[in-house]
Amino acid sequence: AQTVTQSQPEMSVQEAETVTLSCTYDTSESDYYLFWYKQPPSRQMILVIRQEAYKQQNATENRFSVNFQKAAKSFSLKISDSQLGDAAMYFCAYRSGGGSQGNLIFGKGTKLSVKP
Amino acid sequence: IAGITQAPTSQILAAGRRMTLRCTQDMRHNAMYWYRQDLGLGLRLIHYSNTAGTTGKGEVPDGYSVSRANTDDFPLTLASAVPSQTSVYFCASRDSGSYNSPLHFGNGTRLTVT
């Protein structure tokens, strides 16, 4: 069975600085997708960024980028120019490729605080 | 606004009572899911449905049941609530016809079983 591990329960960053959240996963599959979701205090689950395993290029969405290391099974999230609104829980998630029920397997989350 | 509606937003329930959490989506997504979120445990899959008329068990299905009579609705029922079912419940959906589509989530239901 696939597992997702977020080894940092809590992280802190100064406003305008850069922070990296770690995520590793375990799978024997070659076809899969990886996601980062943000959950602010409002409880909403917001998609931050996604990565297809077959793509070597790291995904980027504005200030958010990933470092996808397929051989190492690592999928870290980098937030540049951190803003107060980035404070939230961040969840890394894995989904199998074709033929699965399509659900996400989540890590336990990292709580990010942003200091003004 | 297209999306997923969950009801109620929050509920306090006496142990032993029956409760149905409602979930409706208007995006015509085939696949729908129920997760529970607990502090320190992340989100865990309870049940899922790949299409109307079919359902499947997730990681933590005991004590819960679901039905999928049509594409839009996916209610979750607790037949006899227990305190360990105190949690935040999220309904989600996905366009299973799109290979890299993410899950879209409702805003959750906070359930407290006393």
Side-chain angles (χ1 to χ4, degrees):
Chain A
Q2 296 82 21
T3 59
V4 176
T5 301
Q6 294 180 248
S7 59
Q8 307 150 317
E10 296 187 21
M11 292 281 285
S12 180
V13 63
Q14 204 72 32
E15 194 176 7
E17 297 294 308
T18 295
V19 64
T20 298
L21 308 184
S22 300
C23 173
T24 58
Y25 57 94
D26 187 27
T27 185
S28 59
E29 299 174 333
S30 59
D31 181 20
Y32 53 88
Y33 306 91
L34 297 165
F35 304 83
W36 278 98
Y37 279 84
K38 170 185 177 181
Q39 187 182 43
S42 66
R43 205 168 70 193
Q44 254 186 309
M45 290 289 288
I46 302 166
L47 176 68
V48 175
I49 201 165
R50 76 185 90 173
Q51 175 83 41
E52 294 89 345
Y54 65 84
K55 289 187 177 179
Q56 293 186 335
Q57 187 172 5
N58 289 324
T60 299
E61 289 286 345
N62 300 314
R63 298 182 296 108
F64 298 87
S65 60
V66 298
N67 184 4
F68 174 46
Q69 300 290 325
K70 191 171 184 178
K73 297 179 183 175
S74 172
F75 184 60
S76 60
L77 175 70
K78 185 172 82 172
I79 306 174
S80 303
D81 185 25
S82 296
Q83 300 175 0
L84 296 178
D86 294 334
M89 282 289 289
Y90 285 82
F91 292 97
C92 179
Y94 170 103
R95 192 182 85 222
S96 295
S100 71
Q101 65 253 30
N103 64 289
L104 295 182
I105 299 168
F106 286 89
K108 294 181 179 181
T110 297
K111 183 177 181 180
L112 179 66
S113 302
V114 181
K115 297 179 180 178
Chain B
I1 298 176
I4 298 178
T5 302
Q6 289 187 238
T9 302
S10 66
Q11 181 75 43
I12 299 173
L13 187 68
R17 297 297 295 268
R18 180 184 180 90
M19 175 76 190
T20 295
L21 307 185
R22 300 185 299 277
C23 174
T24 300
Q25 53 107 355
D26 60 4
M27 297 175 283
R28 307 303 293 172
H29 286 170
N30 282 332
M32 296 188 74
Y33 310 87
W34 275 105
Y35 286 86
R36 60 177 287 172
Q37 182 181 11
D38 302 289
L39 191 64
L41 297 177
L43 283 82
R44 294 178 292 167
L45 183 67
I46 305 171
H47 285 287
Y48 66 93
S49 169
N50 285 332
T51 190
T54 68
T55 63
K57 294 181 179 181
E59 180 185 355
V60 288
D62 294 344
Y64 306 95
S65 63
V66 292
S67 62
R68 187 89 183 276
N70 56 62
T71 297
D72 299 341
D73 301 301
F74 191 44
L76 176 73
T77 297
L78 289 67
S80 179
V82 295
S84 63
Q85 292 177 311
T86 293
S87 188
V88 178
Y89 291 86
F90 285 96
C91 180
S93 72
R94 173 177 166 259
D95 174 10
S96 57
S98 176
Y99 70 98
N100 67 344
S101 60
L103 260 60
H104 298 263
F105 286 86
N107 286 337
T109 293
R110 180 177 294 279
L111 181 66
T112 302
V113 183
T114 61

